[in-house]
Short mmCIF file of all heavy atoms in Angstrom, two decimals:
data_model
loop_
_atom_site.label_atom_id
_atom_site.label_comp_id
_atom_site.label_asym_id
_atom_site.label_seq_id
_atom_site.Cartn_x
_atom_site.Cartn_y
_atom_site.Cartn_z
N LEU A 50 -3.79 21.34 -9.18
CA LEU A 50 -3.24 19.99 -9.00
C LEU A 50 -4.22 18.94 -9.49
O LEU A 50 -5.15 18.58 -8.76
CB LEU A 50 -2.96 19.74 -7.51
CG LEU A 50 -1.63 20.19 -6.96
CD1 LEU A 50 -1.53 19.77 -5.50
CD2 LEU A 50 -0.47 19.61 -7.75
N PRO A 51 -4.02 18.41 -10.67
CA PRO A 51 -4.90 17.33 -11.13
C PRO A 51 -4.81 16.15 -10.14
O PRO A 51 -3.76 15.91 -9.55
CB PRO A 51 -4.32 16.94 -12.48
CG PRO A 51 -3.39 18.04 -12.86
CD PRO A 51 -2.97 18.74 -11.62
N GLY A 52 -5.91 15.46 -9.97
CA GLY A 52 -6.03 14.42 -8.94
C GLY A 52 -4.89 13.43 -8.88
O GLY A 52 -4.52 12.96 -7.81
N ALA A 53 -4.33 13.09 -10.04
CA ALA A 53 -3.29 12.05 -10.03
C ALA A 53 -2.05 12.52 -9.29
O ALA A 53 -1.24 11.71 -8.84
CB ALA A 53 -2.93 11.69 -11.46
N HIS A 54 -1.88 13.83 -9.15
CA HIS A 54 -0.65 14.34 -8.55
C HIS A 54 -0.80 14.67 -7.07
O HIS A 54 0.20 14.78 -6.36
CB HIS A 54 -0.19 15.59 -9.30
CG HIS A 54 0.28 15.29 -10.68
ND1 HIS A 54 1.58 14.98 -10.96
CD2 HIS A 54 -0.40 15.20 -11.84
CE1 HIS A 54 1.70 14.73 -12.26
NE2 HIS A 54 0.52 14.85 -12.81
N GLY A 55 -1.99 14.89 -6.64
CA GLY A 55 -2.17 15.22 -5.23
C GLY A 55 -3.63 15.55 -4.96
O GLY A 55 -4.28 16.14 -5.81
N ALA A 56 -4.09 15.16 -3.80
CA ALA A 56 -5.46 15.47 -3.43
C ALA A 56 -5.45 16.67 -2.48
O ALA A 56 -4.41 17.02 -1.91
CB ALA A 56 -6.12 14.27 -2.78
N ILE A 57 -6.62 17.27 -2.31
CA ILE A 57 -6.75 18.46 -1.48
C ILE A 57 -7.62 18.12 -0.27
O ILE A 57 -8.55 17.31 -0.38
CB ILE A 57 -7.43 19.60 -2.28
CG1 ILE A 57 -6.74 19.80 -3.63
CG2 ILE A 57 -7.43 20.91 -1.49
CD1 ILE A 57 -5.27 20.09 -3.57
N GLY A 58 -7.31 18.73 0.85
CA GLY A 58 -8.11 18.49 2.05
C GLY A 58 -8.37 19.78 2.81
O GLY A 58 -7.59 20.73 2.73
N GLY A 59 -9.48 19.81 3.53
CA GLY A 59 -9.75 20.90 4.46
C GLY A 59 -9.11 20.58 5.81
O GLY A 59 -8.58 19.50 6.02
N GLN A 60 -9.18 21.57 6.71
CA GLN A 60 -8.57 21.39 8.04
C GLN A 60 -9.62 21.24 9.14
O GLN A 60 -9.26 21.06 10.30
CB GLN A 60 -7.67 22.58 8.36
CG GLN A 60 -6.52 22.77 7.39
CD GLN A 60 -5.74 24.04 7.68
OE1 GLN A 60 -5.89 24.67 8.72
NE2 GLN A 60 -4.89 24.42 6.74
N ASP A 61 -10.88 21.34 8.77
CA ASP A 61 -11.98 21.22 9.73
C ASP A 61 -13.27 21.32 8.94
O ASP A 61 -13.28 21.78 7.80
CB ASP A 61 -11.93 22.37 10.76
CG ASP A 61 -13.06 22.27 11.78
OD1 ASP A 61 -13.30 21.16 12.29
OD2 ASP A 61 -13.71 23.30 12.06
N CYS A 62 -14.37 20.87 9.53
CA CYS A 62 -15.69 21.17 8.98
C CYS A 62 -16.68 21.20 10.13
O CYS A 62 -16.37 20.74 11.23
CB CYS A 62 -16.12 20.14 7.92
SG CYS A 62 -16.51 18.51 8.60
N HIS A 63 -17.84 21.75 9.88
CA HIS A 63 -18.89 21.77 10.91
C HIS A 63 -19.66 20.45 10.85
O HIS A 63 -19.68 19.78 9.82
CB HIS A 63 -19.84 22.95 10.66
CG HIS A 63 -20.67 23.29 11.87
ND1 HIS A 63 -21.85 22.65 12.17
CD2 HIS A 63 -20.46 24.18 12.87
CE1 HIS A 63 -22.34 23.13 13.29
NE2 HIS A 63 -21.52 24.07 13.74
N ALA A 64 -20.28 20.11 11.98
CA ALA A 64 -21.06 18.87 12.02
C ALA A 64 -22.39 19.01 11.28
O ALA A 64 -22.96 18.01 10.86
CB ALA A 64 -21.31 18.47 13.46
N ASN A 65 -22.86 20.25 11.13
CA ASN A 65 -24.14 20.46 10.43
C ASN A 65 -23.90 20.77 8.96
O ASN A 65 -22.84 21.25 8.58
CB ASN A 65 -24.92 21.62 11.06
CG ASN A 65 -25.39 21.28 12.46
OD1 ASN A 65 -25.23 20.15 12.92
ND2 ASN A 65 -25.93 22.26 13.15
N GLY A 66 -24.92 20.56 8.17
CA GLY A 66 -24.81 20.78 6.73
C GLY A 66 -24.87 22.24 6.34
O GLY A 66 -24.34 22.64 5.30
N SER A 67 -25.55 23.06 7.13
CA SER A 67 -25.67 24.49 6.86
C SER A 67 -26.25 25.15 8.10
O SER A 67 -26.57 24.46 9.07
CB SER A 67 -26.59 24.75 5.65
OG SER A 67 -27.90 24.31 5.98
N GLY A 68 -26.37 26.47 8.08
CA GLY A 68 -27.06 27.12 9.19
C GLY A 68 -26.29 28.29 9.75
O GLY A 68 -25.30 28.77 9.17
N ALA A 69 -26.76 28.77 10.90
CA ALA A 69 -26.22 29.98 11.53
C ALA A 69 -25.00 29.62 12.36
O ALA A 69 -25.09 29.47 13.59
CB ALA A 69 -27.31 30.63 12.38
N HIS A 70 -23.87 29.42 11.71
CA HIS A 70 -22.63 29.03 12.40
C HIS A 70 -21.50 29.90 11.84
O HIS A 70 -20.71 29.47 10.99
CB HIS A 70 -22.34 27.54 12.18
CG HIS A 70 -23.47 26.67 12.64
ND1 HIS A 70 -23.80 26.51 13.96
CD2 HIS A 70 -24.37 25.95 11.93
CE1 HIS A 70 -24.85 25.71 14.06
NE2 HIS A 70 -25.22 25.36 12.86
N THR A 71 -21.46 31.13 12.31
CA THR A 71 -20.53 32.11 11.76
C THR A 71 -19.09 31.62 11.84
O THR A 71 -18.63 31.19 12.90
CB THR A 71 -20.68 33.43 12.52
OG1 THR A 71 -22.03 33.87 12.42
CG2 THR A 71 -19.75 34.51 11.95
N GLY A 72 -18.42 31.68 10.72
CA GLY A 72 -17.00 31.32 10.69
C GLY A 72 -16.76 29.86 10.39
O GLY A 72 -15.61 29.46 10.19
#
Side-chain angles (χ1 to χ4, degrees):
L50 274 184
H54 291 270
I57 310 303
Q60 299 175 12
D61 180 45
C62 70
H63 198 275
N65 292 354
S67 64
H70 303 291
T71 302

